[in-house]
Amino acid sequence: MPPELDQVVREEWGRLVALLLARFRRIDLVEDALGDAVEAAARQWPREGAPANPAAWLQTVARRRIVDRLRAEAMAGRRHALLATDLDRRPPRAMADPGDLVEDDLLRLVLMCTHPALAPEASSALALRLVLGVSTHDVAALFLVPEPTMAARLTRAKKKIVTAGIPFAVPDLAALPGRLETVAQTAYLAFTAGYAPASGPDLLRPALAGEAVRLVRTVRELRPEDPTLTALLALVLLQHSRRDARVDDQGRLVLLGDQDRDRWHHDEVAEARRLLASPVVVGTPLPELAGTYLLQALVAAEHAAAPSSAQTRWDRIVALYDQLLVLAPSPPARLARAVAVAEAHGPQAGLAALDGVEIAGSHRLPVVRAELLARSGEVAAALQQLDTALAACGNEAERAHLRRRRAELSRPEISHPGG
């Protein structure tokens, strides 16, 4: 795929979907047409050069594909043959929305994907792929399933929308609260995809993460007393506040312990702390999802409160992960806890905490094992784990980081200490 095309697909996919859905309201036609437009661009742009406005080019080609399909359907159904022509000339329509309930286009689209006829996981996956432009590979990684499994789920969800005639519309005010938990989970997963992309050239996707933060903030404005949305906003603000310190001037990964804390956005940290101290999340029983977001936010707040990495209260972080594992046990949470245990009690304790942890297809587990083995002096075993991680890692920037770390561990003075 030409670099210009790859960039526009990553950055503009959701907006293009929004524009086309606003006009045609056919999820099946919109995604197929955009896919056709991308294929056409992959063929033409290398020969003819990229257009001055790549996103507009894709939109125009996709719109023509949809109009052609509508014309064919109209003819096949013996409807008036000018229907498609009329659609082509008609100005864009507003999306179905009762009154002025939702003004934000991104939120409107995510809400449209969260129809109760779809399972929450299917709704989130569909919104991530269709609205936010997260690749199927990366959506699968977020849900810890193989890519073919996720591709099949997405296909079933889209077919259900079309065949069941599910309206692509914003719910009315009475139905809105029932969809907000799925919107929150979608935003959380989109944020995760922004800071831990499973594939592609980028180490970070701050634009995607920023859209996720904006989505959480926007939906919380509809229900400011919702503890789940309040805790989630605190969490993403704390994590997003470190965006400028996560990479160096050459675009290389900077680990948390090595980050320049002066580059953190301390206004966002302060806002998150205010949210964590608000009555919405303090002193009252919380729903399970709100509790999981709150505990993760409190972990991030511990990092933000430490003047330096060496002064981090890792004992408190371990205790927070212990609570999280009671509330919502998961392999990624166990992995994060093992890292905290290693910082608090040493690498051998961290390795013991990893016993039984399995995350199929993920490179992050062998990366952590490699680092803890290296700190324990087991360099050969660490190198084996790094090789496993490199084989599983699909992100080019992370692979470069792992190769550098492997080269460091392969130096004779490290491989043969005292030799």
Side-chain angles (χ1 to χ4, degrees):
M1 183 181 293
E4 302 91 340
L5 180 57
D6 180 67
Q7 181 178 357
V8 74
V9 168
R10 285 187 287 112
E11 296 179 358
E12 299 286 348
W13 182 272
R15 188 179 69 85
L16 291 171
V17 168
L19 290 169
L20 293 167
L21 274 175
R23 183 165 197 154
F24 298 107
R25 302 188 191 180
R26 285 279 300 274
I27 188 173
D28 54 334
L29 298 187
V30 165
E31 192 172 34
D32 287 349
L34 270 178
D36 289 346
V38 170
E39 288 182 9
R43 292 191 304 269
Q44 291 180 222
W45 293 6
R47 296 194 314 264
E48 304 172 7
N53 188 334
W57 190 98
L58 291 175
Q59 182 187 353
T60 299
V61 173
R63 179 179 57 80
R64 290 172 179 166
R65 295 285 197 279
I66 295 172
V67 169
D68 288 345
R69 174 74 176 273
L70 289 171
R71 182 180 290 114
E73 289 183 0
M75 294 289 288
R78 297 189 177 183
R79 295 192 298 270
H80 199 283
L82 293 179
L83 171 62
T85 301
D86 290 342
L87 280 170
D88 190 26
R89 294 172 179 170
R90 190 177 304 167
R93 298 180 295 177
M95 294 184 192
D97 185 348
D100 296 322
L101 179 60
V102 177
E103 296 181 359
D104 184 85
D105 284 342
L106 179 63
L107 177 56
R108 291 157 72 96
L109 281 168
V110 173
L111 282 168
M112 288 176 183
C113 290
T114 60
H115 194 279
L118 297 175
E121 282 197 355
S123 294
S124 287
L126 188 64
L128 288 166
R129 177 70 195 101
L130 184 67
V131 178
L132 292 158
V134 180
S135 71
T136 302
H137 178 277
D138 287 6
V139 174
L142 291 169
F143 284 90
L144 304 179
V145 299
E147 184 175 354
T149 300
M150 180 52 65
R153 288 183 187 176
L154 289 168
T155 298
R156 286 196 297 270
K158 287 181 283 189
K159 284 183 177 178
K160 187 168 188 177
I161 287 174
V162 175
T163 58
I166 295 173
F168 224 70
V170 175
D172 61 27
L173 187 60
L176 186 62
R179 300 199 187 187
L180 291 186
E181 183 170 307
T182 303
V183 173
Q185 291 175 308
T186 302
Y188 174 76
L189 291 168
F191 186 85
T192 302
Y195 280 114
S199 62
D202 300 324
L203 184 60
L204 309 174
R205 297 175 189 169
L208 174 59
E211 281 289 272
V213 173
R214 189 178 66 79
L215 178 59
V216 177
R217 192 185 292 282
T218 301
V219 73
R220 184 176 176 270
E221 289 174 357
L222 297 174
R223 293 182 64 82
E225 300 304 314
D226 187 294
T228 300
L229 298 171
T230 300
L232 178 56
L233 181 57
L235 170 59
V236 296
L237 282 172
L238 286 163
Q239 298 284 16
H240 198 50
S241 70
R242 302 200 298 264
R243 58 190 174 276
D244 293 339
R246 291 174 181 261
V247 295
D248 64 16
D249 293 338
Q250 286 74 47
R252 295 176 300 191
L253 173 66
V254 180
L255 298 176
L256 176 60
D258 300 321
Q259 289 175 11
D260 179 357
R261 297 182 179 221
D262 289 338
R263 299 188 66 189
W264 291 3
H265 291 251
H266 294 284
D267 57 331
E268 295 173 3
V269 173
E271 181 184 356
R273 284 174 171 165
R274 289 193 297 271
L275 291 168
L276 292 176
S278 69
V280 177
V281 295
V282 174
T284 58
L286 297 178
E288 181 177 304
L289 187 60
T292 64
Y293 292 150
L294 176 61
L295 288 167
Q296 292 175 75
L298 291 172
V299 168
E302 285 292 339
H303 290 297
S308 67
S309 176
Q311 295 171 280
T312 303
R313 289 296 304 270
W314 288 104
D315 56 332
R316 293 179 180 173
I317 292 175
V318 172
L320 288 167
Y321 276 123
D322 286 340
Q323 295 178 58
L324 180 62
L325 286 170
V326 171
L327 186 62
S330 70
R334 289 187 62 192
L335 176 61
R337 178 187 179 275
V339 172
V341 167
E343 296 292 345
H345 305 296
Q348 289 295 328
L351 286 168
L354 285 177
D355 284 348
V357 179
E358 297 293 339
I359 308 177
S362 172
H363 67 284
R364 303 193 190 281
L365 178 58
V367 166
V368 172
R369 281 205 178 105
E371 190 60 34
L372 298 184
L373 286 166
R375 292 185 192 181
S376 302
E378 301 179 52
V379 176
L383 291 172
Q384 290 180 342
Q385 289 294 316
L386 282 176
D387 289 339
T388 300
L390 280 163
C393 182
N395 182 274
E396 295 169 24
E398 280 196 88
R399 285 177 59 82
H401 172 77
L402 294 176
R403 285 193 293 267
R404 287 193 298 271
R405 182 59 176 146
R406 195 188 192 289
E408 291 173 1
L409 292 178
S410 298
R411 293 201 304 267
E413 63 269 26
I414 296 178
S415 299
H416 306 286

